[in-house]
Amino acid sequence: EVQLVESGGGLIQPGGSLRLSCAVSGFTVSSYYMSWVRQTPGKGPEWVSVFYTDDYTHFADSVKGRFTVSRDNSKNTLYLQMNSLRVEDTAVYYCARDAFNSNYGWDVWGKGTTVTVSS
Amino acid sequence: ETVMTQSPATLSVSPGERATLSCRASQSISRNLAWYQQRPGQAPRLLIYGASTRAAGISDNFSGSGSGTQFTLTISSLQPEDFAVYYCKQYNRWPWTFGQGTRMEIE
């Protein structure tokens, strides 16, 4: 079964760091473009980052320089390292698979993990 | 950044009726637009990409149209499971951006 399972969220103080994981099953994470998308309750989703199959990455301006993405092929897992966290980073974070490796859209999503940045 | 504006914010429709949702881009995005459906407590689900191509497994009850800056999602006959929030998203240029959503409510 094709599945994405996020973990690693929690309550963190401003300025802190968290690493989110996205465990992939049913396909090989290195074979697909993978994105992180976040969403605050009642708001539209916000794209955060994309990790291409050639290891190229791109980030939203709001997180550039603070967040990085990586991939462990042996664990078939995608990661989002979040540093210098801000209150406005509070959201549910989803990982998502690009349906066609073409940027057209994400066909598989995880259930999300909640990050709360608060003092 | 390309700003996506959806209208209306809320649409009240009776089951079986037709619904038309609009999405406008602040600059031309060609046909690089996707539509997603989000039910409460769930992740978004891809419905349409390329402005008009249905994703795998999506009912032909859903159709998309438009290009440039004006786009439409049409649900031809609303089913109970279609009452959800719908988002458009442009992927023409970074950062990829979503609209604020249209909430479909049962009238």
Side-chain angles (χ1 to χ4, degrees), chain B residues 27-81:
Chain B
Q27 57 189 305
S28 177
I29 59 170
S30 186
R31 293 177 60 81
N32 295 316
L33 183 103
W35 288 95
Y36 291 83
Q37 176 194 69
Q38 188 173 31
R39 295 176 177 139
Q42 296 186 14
R45 178 172 73 134
L46 179 65
L47 298 177
I48 300 279
Y49 61 92
S52 61
T53 303
R54 277 187 296 276
I58 300 302
S59 161
D60 59 6
N61 203 31
F62 293 91
S63 62
S65 63
S67 65
T69 62
Q70 297 280 354
F71 301 87
T72 299
L73 175 70
T74 301
I75 311 172
S76 57
S77 176
L78 275 153
Q79 305 302 304
E81 61 270 22

Short mmCIF file of all heavy atoms in Angstrom, two decimals, chain B residues 27-81:
data_model
loop_
_atom_site.label_atom_id
_atom_site.label_comp_id
_atom_site.label_asym_id
_atom_site.label_seq_id
_atom_site.Cartn_x
_atom_site.Cartn_y
_atom_site.Cartn_z
N GLN B 27 -1.38 37.01 -11.91
CA GLN B 27 -0.65 37.11 -13.18
C GLN B 27 -0.86 35.83 -13.95
O GLN B 27 -1.31 34.83 -13.38
CB GLN B 27 0.84 37.37 -12.93
CG GLN B 27 1.53 36.32 -12.08
CD GLN B 27 2.95 36.74 -11.70
OE1 GLN B 27 3.76 37.06 -12.57
NE2 GLN B 27 3.22 36.76 -10.41
N SER B 28 -0.56 35.87 -15.23
CA SER B 28 -0.83 34.69 -16.05
C SER B 28 -0.03 33.48 -15.56
O SER B 28 1.17 33.57 -15.30
CB SER B 28 -0.48 34.97 -17.51
OG SER B 28 -0.69 33.79 -18.27
N ILE B 29 -0.74 32.36 -15.47
CA ILE B 29 -0.10 31.12 -15.07
C ILE B 29 -0.29 30.04 -16.14
O ILE B 29 -0.16 28.84 -15.86
CB ILE B 29 -0.61 30.62 -13.70
CG1 ILE B 29 -2.13 30.39 -13.73
CG2 ILE B 29 -0.22 31.57 -12.58
CD1 ILE B 29 -2.66 29.66 -12.50
N SER B 30 -0.63 30.49 -17.36
CA SER B 30 -0.90 29.55 -18.44
C SER B 30 -1.99 28.57 -17.98
O SER B 30 -3.05 29.00 -17.56
CB SER B 30 0.38 28.84 -18.86
OG SER B 30 0.16 28.04 -19.99
N ARG B 31 -1.74 27.29 -18.06
CA ARG B 31 -2.70 26.30 -17.56
C ARG B 31 -2.12 25.52 -16.39
O ARG B 31 -2.53 24.40 -16.10
CB ARG B 31 -3.12 25.36 -18.69
CG ARG B 31 -3.91 26.06 -19.78
CD ARG B 31 -4.25 25.12 -20.92
NE ARG B 31 -5.05 23.98 -20.51
CZ ARG B 31 -6.37 23.99 -20.33
NH1 ARG B 31 -7.05 25.12 -20.51
NH2 ARG B 31 -7.01 22.89 -19.98
N ASN B 32 -1.17 26.11 -15.71
CA ASN B 32 -0.47 25.44 -14.61
C ASN B 32 -1.24 25.60 -13.30
O ASN B 32 -0.78 26.24 -12.33
CB ASN B 32 0.95 25.97 -14.49
CG ASN B 32 1.77 25.62 -15.72
OD1 ASN B 32 1.72 24.49 -16.20
ND2 ASN B 32 2.51 26.59 -16.24
N LEU B 33 -2.42 25.01 -13.29
CA LEU B 33 -3.32 25.13 -12.15
C LEU B 33 -3.88 23.77 -11.77
O LEU B 33 -4.24 22.98 -12.63
CB LEU B 33 -4.48 26.06 -12.49
CG LEU B 33 -5.41 26.26 -11.28
CD1 LEU B 33 -5.18 27.59 -10.62
CD2 LEU B 33 -6.86 26.06 -11.61
N ALA B 34 -3.94 23.55 -10.47
CA ALA B 34 -4.53 22.33 -9.92
C ALA B 34 -5.65 22.70 -8.95
O ALA B 34 -5.64 23.78 -8.37
CB ALA B 34 -3.47 21.50 -9.20
N TRP B 35 -6.58 21.77 -8.82
CA TRP B 35 -7.65 21.90 -7.83
C TRP B 35 -7.55 20.75 -6.84
O TRP B 35 -7.30 19.60 -7.23
CB TRP B 35 -9.02 21.84 -8.50
CG TRP B 35 -9.39 23.05 -9.31
CD1 TRP B 35 -9.22 23.22 -10.66
CD2 TRP B 35 -10.03 24.24 -8.83
NE1 TRP B 35 -9.70 24.45 -11.05
CE2 TRP B 35 -10.20 25.11 -9.95
CE3 TRP B 35 -10.47 24.68 -7.58
CZ2 TRP B 35 -10.80 26.36 -9.83
CZ3 TRP B 35 -11.05 25.93 -7.47
CH2 TRP B 35 -11.22 26.76 -8.59
N TYR B 36 -7.77 21.06 -5.57
CA TYR B 36 -7.75 20.07 -4.52
C TYR B 36 -9.06 20.16 -3.73
O TYR B 36 -9.63 21.24 -3.56
CB TYR B 36 -6.59 20.30 -3.55
CG TYR B 36 -5.23 20.04 -4.13
CD1 TYR B 36 -4.58 21.01 -4.88
CD2 TYR B 36 -4.59 18.82 -3.93
CE1 TYR B 36 -3.33 20.77 -5.43
CE2 TYR B 36 -3.33 18.57 -4.46
CZ TYR B 36 -2.72 19.55 -5.21
OH TYR B 36 -1.47 19.30 -5.75
N GLN B 37 -9.48 19.02 -3.22
CA GLN B 37 -10.62 18.94 -2.31
C GLN B 37 -10.09 18.56 -0.93
O GLN B 37 -9.21 17.69 -0.83
CB GLN B 37 -11.58 17.85 -2.80
CG GLN B 37 -12.77 17.59 -1.89
CD GLN B 37 -13.46 16.29 -2.27
OE1 GLN B 37 -12.90 15.20 -2.07
NE2 GLN B 37 -14.68 16.38 -2.79
N GLN B 38 -10.60 19.19 0.09
CA GLN B 38 -10.21 18.82 1.45
C GLN B 38 -11.45 18.64 2.31
O GLN B 38 -12.22 19.58 2.51
CB GLN B 38 -9.27 19.85 2.07
CG GLN B 38 -8.70 19.40 3.40
CD GLN B 38 -7.63 20.33 3.95
OE1 GLN B 38 -7.67 21.53 3.71
NE2 GLN B 38 -6.65 19.79 4.66
N ARG B 39 -11.61 17.43 2.81
CA ARG B 39 -12.69 17.14 3.75
C ARG B 39 -12.17 17.36 5.16
O ARG B 39 -10.96 17.33 5.40
CB ARG B 39 -13.17 15.70 3.55
CG ARG B 39 -13.81 15.47 2.18
CD ARG B 39 -14.18 14.01 1.99
NE ARG B 39 -14.85 13.81 0.70
CZ ARG B 39 -14.62 12.78 -0.09
NH1 ARG B 39 -13.77 11.84 0.26
NH2 ARG B 39 -15.27 12.67 -1.24
N PRO B 40 -13.09 17.59 6.11
CA PRO B 40 -12.64 17.87 7.48
C PRO B 40 -11.75 16.78 8.03
O PRO B 40 -12.05 15.58 7.90
CB PRO B 40 -13.97 17.94 8.26
CG PRO B 40 -14.98 18.36 7.23
CD PRO B 40 -14.55 17.70 5.95
N GLY B 41 -10.64 17.19 8.61
CA GLY B 41 -9.73 16.26 9.26
C GLY B 41 -8.88 15.44 8.31
O GLY B 41 -8.16 14.53 8.74
N GLN B 42 -8.95 15.74 7.01
CA GLN B 42 -8.18 14.98 6.03
C GLN B 42 -7.20 15.90 5.29
O GLN B 42 -7.34 17.12 5.28
CB GLN B 42 -9.12 14.32 5.02
CG GLN B 42 -10.04 13.28 5.61
CD GLN B 42 -10.84 12.57 4.53
OE1 GLN B 42 -10.54 12.65 3.33
NE2 GLN B 42 -11.87 11.85 4.94
N ALA B 43 -6.23 15.27 4.66
CA ALA B 43 -5.32 16.00 3.80
C ALA B 43 -6.03 16.36 2.49
O ALA B 43 -7.04 15.74 2.13
CB ALA B 43 -4.09 15.14 3.50
N PRO B 44 -5.53 17.34 1.79
CA PRO B 44 -6.12 17.66 0.48
C PRO B 44 -6.01 16.48 -0.48
O PRO B 44 -5.12 15.63 -0.35
CB PRO B 44 -5.27 18.83 0.00
CG PRO B 44 -4.74 19.46 1.25
CD PRO B 44 -4.50 18.31 2.18
N ARG B 45 -6.92 16.44 -1.44
CA ARG B 45 -6.92 15.39 -2.46
C ARG B 45 -6.89 16.04 -3.83
O ARG B 45 -7.70 16.96 -4.10
CB ARG B 45 -8.17 14.52 -2.32
CG ARG B 45 -8.29 13.42 -3.38
CD ARG B 45 -9.43 12.47 -3.11
NE ARG B 45 -10.74 13.03 -3.37
CZ ARG B 45 -11.72 12.40 -4.03
NH1 ARG B 45 -11.47 11.21 -4.56
NH2 ARG B 45 -12.89 12.97 -4.18
N LEU B 46 -5.98 15.58 -4.67
CA LEU B 46 -5.84 16.15 -6.00
C LEU B 46 -7.05 15.78 -6.87
O LEU B 46 -7.35 14.59 -7.02
CB LEU B 46 -4.54 15.65 -6.64
CG LEU B 46 -4.24 16.13 -8.06
CD1 LEU B 46 -4.01 17.64 -8.10
CD2 LEU B 46 -3.01 15.40 -8.61
N LEU B 47 -7.69 16.78 -7.44
CA LEU B 47 -8.83 16.54 -8.34
C LEU B 47 -8.45 16.77 -9.80
O LEU B 47 -8.74 15.95 -10.67
CB LEU B 47 -9.97 17.52 -8.00
CG LEU B 47 -10.62 17.46 -6.64
CD1 LEU B 47 -11.65 18.57 -6.53
CD2 LEU B 47 -11.25 16.10 -6.38
N ILE B 48 -7.84 17.91 -10.06
CA ILE B 48 -7.60 18.40 -11.41
C ILE B 48 -6.19 18.96 -11.48
O ILE B 48 -5.72 19.61 -10.54
CB ILE B 48 -8.59 19.54 -11.76
CG1 ILE B 48 -10.04 19.09 -11.69
CG2 ILE B 48 -8.26 20.17 -13.13
CD1 ILE B 48 -10.55 18.33 -12.89
N TYR B 49 -5.50 18.73 -12.60
CA TYR B 49 -4.23 19.39 -12.86
C TYR B 49 -4.23 19.85 -14.31
O TYR B 49 -5.09 19.43 -15.10
CB TYR B 49 -3.04 18.47 -12.56
CG TYR B 49 -3.00 17.21 -13.40
CD1 TYR B 49 -2.31 17.16 -14.59
CD2 TYR B 49 -3.67 16.06 -12.98
CE1 TYR B 49 -2.28 16.02 -15.36
CE2 TYR B 49 -3.66 14.91 -13.74
CZ TYR B 49 -2.96 14.89 -14.93
OH TYR B 49 -2.93 13.75 -15.70
N GLY B 50 -3.29 20.70 -14.65
CA GLY B 50 -3.28 21.24 -16.00
C GLY B 50 -4.56 21.97 -16.34
O GLY B 50 -4.98 22.01 -17.51
N ALA B 51 -5.21 22.51 -15.33
CA ALA B 51 -6.45 23.28 -15.43
C ALA B 51 -7.68 22.45 -15.74
O ALA B 51 -8.79 22.82 -15.34
CB ALA B 51 -6.34 24.42 -16.44
N SER B 52 -7.51 21.32 -16.45
CA SER B 52 -8.70 20.61 -16.90
C SER B 52 -8.57 19.09 -16.91
O SER B 52 -9.54 18.41 -17.28
CB SER B 52 -9.10 21.07 -18.32
OG SER B 52 -8.06 20.80 -19.23
N THR B 53 -7.44 18.54 -16.54
CA THR B 53 -7.24 17.09 -16.57
C THR B 53 -7.57 16.49 -15.21
O THR B 53 -6.98 16.89 -14.20
CB THR B 53 -5.80 16.75 -16.95
OG1 THR B 53 -5.48 17.33 -18.22
CG2 THR B 53 -5.62 15.23 -17.03
N ARG B 54 -8.50 15.56 -15.21
CA ARG B 54 -8.85 14.92 -13.95
C ARG B 54 -7.75 13.97 -13.50
O ARG B 54 -7.18 13.23 -14.31
CB ARG B 54 -10.17 14.14 -14.09
CG ARG B 54 -11.41 14.98 -13.93
CD ARG B 54 -12.66 14.10 -13.91
NE ARG B 54 -12.82 13.41 -15.19
CZ ARG B 54 -13.40 13.95 -16.26
NH1 ARG B 54 -13.86 15.18 -16.20
NH2 ARG B 54 -13.52 13.24 -17.37
N ALA B 55 -7.46 13.98 -12.20
CA ALA B 55 -6.49 13.06 -11.64
C ALA B 55 -7.08 11.66 -11.63
O ALA B 55 -8.29 11.46 -11.79
CB ALA B 55 -6.11 13.50 -10.23
N ALA B 56 -6.24 10.67 -11.41
CA ALA B 56 -6.65 9.28 -11.41
C ALA B 56 -7.74 9.05 -10.37
O ALA B 56 -7.65 9.49 -9.22
CB ALA B 56 -5.47 8.37 -11.12
N GLY B 57 -8.80 8.37 -10.80
CA GLY B 57 -9.86 8.00 -9.88
C GLY B 57 -10.87 9.09 -9.58
O GLY B 57 -11.77 8.89 -8.76
N ILE B 58 -10.74 10.23 -10.22
CA ILE B 58 -11.66 11.34 -9.96
C ILE B 58 -12.86 11.25 -10.89
O ILE B 58 -12.71 11.10 -12.12
CB ILE B 58 -10.96 12.70 -10.11
CG1 ILE B 58 -9.79 12.79 -9.12
CG2 ILE B 58 -11.95 13.85 -9.91
CD1 ILE B 58 -10.17 12.61 -7.65
N SER B 59 -14.04 11.36 -10.32
CA SER B 59 -15.29 11.27 -11.07
C SER B 59 -15.39 12.33 -12.14
O SER B 59 -14.93 13.46 -11.98
CB SER B 59 -16.45 11.42 -10.07
OG SER B 59 -17.65 11.75 -10.73
N ASP B 60 -16.06 11.96 -13.25
CA ASP B 60 -16.28 12.96 -14.30
C ASP B 60 -17.35 13.97 -13.91
O ASP B 60 -17.75 14.83 -14.70
CB ASP B 60 -16.62 12.29 -15.64
CG ASP B 60 -17.86 11.42 -15.57
OD1 ASP B 60 -18.54 11.43 -14.52
OD2 ASP B 60 -18.15 10.74 -16.56
N ASN B 61 -17.82 13.86 -12.69
CA ASN B 61 -18.69 14.88 -12.10
C ASN B 61 -17.92 16.19 -11.90
O ASN B 61 -18.51 17.26 -11.77
CB ASN B 61 -19.19 14.36 -10.75
CG ASN B 61 -20.46 15.01 -10.29
OD1 ASN B 61 -21.31 15.41 -11.08
ND2 ASN B 61 -20.60 15.15 -8.97
N PHE B 62 -16.59 16.08 -11.87
CA PHE B 62 -15.72 17.24 -11.70
C PHE B 62 -15.10 17.62 -13.04
O PHE B 62 -14.61 16.76 -13.76
CB PHE B 62 -14.58 16.94 -10.71
CG PHE B 62 -15.04 16.72 -9.30
CD1 PHE B 62 -15.36 15.45 -8.84
CD2 PHE B 62 -15.16 17.79 -8.43
CE1 PHE B 62 -15.79 15.25 -7.55
CE2 PHE B 62 -15.58 17.60 -7.11
CZ PHE B 62 -15.90 16.33 -6.68
N SER B 63 -15.12 18.91 -13.34
CA SER B 63 -14.45 19.38 -14.54
C SER B 63 -13.82 20.73 -14.29
O SER B 63 -14.33 21.53 -13.48
CB SER B 63 -15.43 19.46 -15.72
OG SER B 63 -16.46 20.38 -15.45
N GLY B 64 -12.71 20.98 -14.96
CA GLY B 64 -12.01 22.24 -14.81
C GLY B 64 -11.82 22.91 -16.15
O GLY B 64 -11.76 22.25 -17.19
N SER B 65 -11.74 24.23 -16.11
CA SER B 65 -11.52 24.98 -17.33
C SER B 65 -10.77 26.26 -17.01
O SER B 65 -10.62 26.64 -15.84
CB SER B 65 -12.85 25.31 -18.01
OG SER B 65 -13.64 26.15 -17.19
N GLY B 66 -10.31 26.92 -18.07
CA GLY B 66 -9.64 28.21 -17.91
C GLY B 66 -8.19 28.17 -18.33
O GLY B 66 -7.60 27.11 -18.55
N SER B 67 -7.64 29.36 -18.45
CA SER B 67 -6.22 29.52 -18.75
C SER B 67 -5.86 30.98 -18.48
O SER B 67 -6.74 31.84 -18.39
CB SER B 67 -5.90 29.16 -20.21
OG SER B 67 -6.54 30.05 -21.08
N GLY B 68 -4.57 31.22 -18.35
CA GLY B 68 -4.13 32.59 -18.09
C GLY B 68 -4.33 32.98 -16.65
O GLY B 68 -3.55 32.59 -15.78
N THR B 69 -5.40 33.73 -16.38
CA THR B 69 -5.66 34.19 -15.01
C THR B 69 -7.00 33.77 -14.46
O THR B 69 -7.26 33.98 -13.28
CB THR B 69 -5.57 35.73 -14.92
OG1 THR B 69 -6.57 36.31 -15.76
CG2 THR B 69 -4.18 36.24 -15.33
N GLN B 70 -7.88 33.21 -15.27
CA GLN B 70 -9.23 32.87 -14.82
C GLN B 70 -9.51 31.39 -14.98
O GLN B 70 -9.34 30.83 -16.08
CB GLN B 70 -10.27 33.67 -15.61
CG GLN B 70 -10.17 35.18 -15.42
CD GLN B 70 -10.82 35.65 -14.12
OE1 GLN B 70 -11.43 34.87 -13.40
NE2 GLN B 70 -10.66 36.92 -13.81
N PHE B 71 -9.93 30.77 -13.90
CA PHE B 71 -10.16 29.33 -13.89
C PHE B 71 -11.46 29.01 -13.18
O PHE B 71 -11.91 29.76 -12.31
CB PHE B 71 -9.00 28.61 -13.19
CG PHE B 71 -7.68 28.87 -13.85
CD1 PHE B 71 -6.92 29.98 -13.51
CD2 PHE B 71 -7.20 28.03 -14.85
CE1 PHE B 71 -5.71 30.24 -14.13
CE2 PHE B 71 -6.00 28.28 -15.48
CZ PHE B 71 -5.25 29.39 -15.12
N THR B 72 -12.02 27.86 -13.57
CA THR B 72 -13.29 27.43 -12.99
C THR B 72 -13.25 25.95 -12.71
O THR B 72 -12.72 25.17 -13.51
CB THR B 72 -14.45 27.74 -13.97
OG1 THR B 72 -14.52 29.13 -14.21
CG2 THR B 72 -15.77 27.26 -13.39
N LEU B 73 -13.81 25.57 -11.56
CA LEU B 73 -14.07 24.18 -11.24
C LEU B 73 -15.58 24.01 -11.20
O LEU B 73 -16.26 24.76 -10.49
CB LEU B 73 -13.47 23.79 -9.89
CG LEU B 73 -13.79 22.37 -9.40
CD1 LEU B 73 -13.06 21.34 -10.25
CD2 LEU B 73 -13.39 22.21 -7.92
N THR B 74 -16.07 23.04 -11.95
CA THR B 74 -17.50 22.78 -11.97
C THR B 74 -17.77 21.39 -11.42
O THR B 74 -17.11 20.43 -11.82
CB THR B 74 -18.07 22.90 -13.39
OG1 THR B 74 -17.83 24.21 -13.90
CG2 THR B 74 -19.57 22.63 -13.40
N ILE B 75 -18.72 21.32 -10.50
CA ILE B 75 -19.21 20.04 -10.00
C ILE B 75 -20.62 19.92 -10.55
O ILE B 75 -21.50 20.71 -10.18
CB ILE B 75 -19.19 19.98 -8.47
CG1 ILE B 75 -17.82 20.45 -7.94
CG2 ILE B 75 -19.50 18.57 -7.98
CD1 ILE B 75 -17.76 20.62 -6.43
N SER B 76 -20.85 18.96 -11.43
CA SER B 76 -22.08 18.98 -12.21
C SER B 76 -23.31 18.58 -11.40
O SER B 76 -24.41 19.10 -11.64
CB SER B 76 -21.95 18.09 -13.45
OG SER B 76 -21.61 16.78 -13.06
N SER B 77 -23.16 17.68 -10.46
CA SER B 77 -24.28 17.26 -9.63
C SER B 77 -23.74 16.90 -8.25
O SER B 77 -23.10 15.86 -8.10
CB SER B 77 -24.99 16.05 -10.25
OG SER B 77 -26.02 15.57 -9.41
N LEU B 78 -23.99 17.78 -7.30
CA LEU B 78 -23.35 17.62 -5.99
C LEU B 78 -23.83 16.39 -5.25
O LEU B 78 -25.03 16.16 -5.07
CB LEU B 78 -23.58 18.87 -5.16
CG LEU B 78 -22.54 19.95 -5.45
CD1 LEU B 78 -23.09 21.32 -5.19
CD2 LEU B 78 -21.29 19.70 -4.63
N GLN B 79 -22.86 15.59 -4.83
CA GLN B 79 -23.12 14.42 -4.01
C GLN B 79 -22.80 14.78 -2.55
O GLN B 79 -22.05 15.71 -2.29
CB GLN B 79 -22.24 13.25 -4.46
CG GLN B 79 -22.40 12.91 -5.93
CD GLN B 79 -23.82 12.56 -6.29
OE1 GLN B 79 -24.41 11.66 -5.69
NE2 GLN B 79 -24.40 13.27 -7.26
N PRO B 80 -23.35 14.04 -1.60
CA PRO B 80 -23.10 14.36 -0.19
C PRO B 80 -21.62 14.45 0.15
O PRO B 80 -21.22 15.31 0.95
CB PRO B 80 -23.78 13.21 0.55
CG PRO B 80 -24.86 12.76 -0.38
CD PRO B 80 -24.31 12.94 -1.77
N GLU B 81 -20.81 13.59 -0.46
CA GLU B 81 -19.38 13.58 -0.15
C GLU B 81 -18.62 14.75 -0.77
O GLU B 81 -17.43 14.93 -0.49
CB GLU B 81 -18.75 12.25 -0.60
CG GLU B 81 -18.84 11.98 -2.08
CD GLU B 81 -20.09 11.21 -2.48
OE1 GLU B 81 -21.09 11.25 -1.72
OE2 GLU B 81 -20.07 10.59 -3.55
#
